[in-house]
Amino acid sequence: MAKSDDLLKDFLNGFPEASHPLDEERFAKYSIACAEEGKYIDTSAINQNVSPERSEELVFAFEWIRQAVDCLKNEGRL
């Protein structure tokens, strides 16, 4: 099982609809793992657990995180 799979479970078992710093950290860790593994976040699993508005926010956040990870990789910092 990929690291991102475990981190997705952690995120979804918390309070994925919340914007509490701990929940945002769980999502950030999940997003970073996905970006490092070269895969997209599991939007179907996320959509089952959050509102459409929150899902849109998370997809937008992932795009930024993925770009940051790619930049760091390209600079040899990851």
Side-chain angles (χ1 to χ4, degrees), residues 24-58:
E24 290 179 352
E25 181 179 333
R26 286 184 193 103
F27 181 74
K29 287 179 179 180
Y30 167 60
S31 295
I32 291 166
C34 285
E36 289 176 336
E37 294 169 8
K39 62 187 204 181
Y40 202 80
I41 57 173
D42 186 343
T43 53
S44 62
I46 291 171
N47 288 338
Q48 292 176 10
N49 290 278
V50 300
S51 68
E53 295 82 11
R54 180 67 172 157
S55 178
E56 188 175 313
E57 290 172 0
L58 295 173

Side-chain angles (χ1 to χ4, degrees), residues 52-72:
E53 295 82 11
R54 180 67 172 157
S55 178
E56 188 175 313
E57 290 172 0
L58 295 173
V59 167
F60 186 73
F62 172 71
E63 293 295 338
W64 277 97
I65 291 169
R66 181 173 63 177
Q67 184 158 0
V69 169
D70 288 346
C71 288
L72 292 170

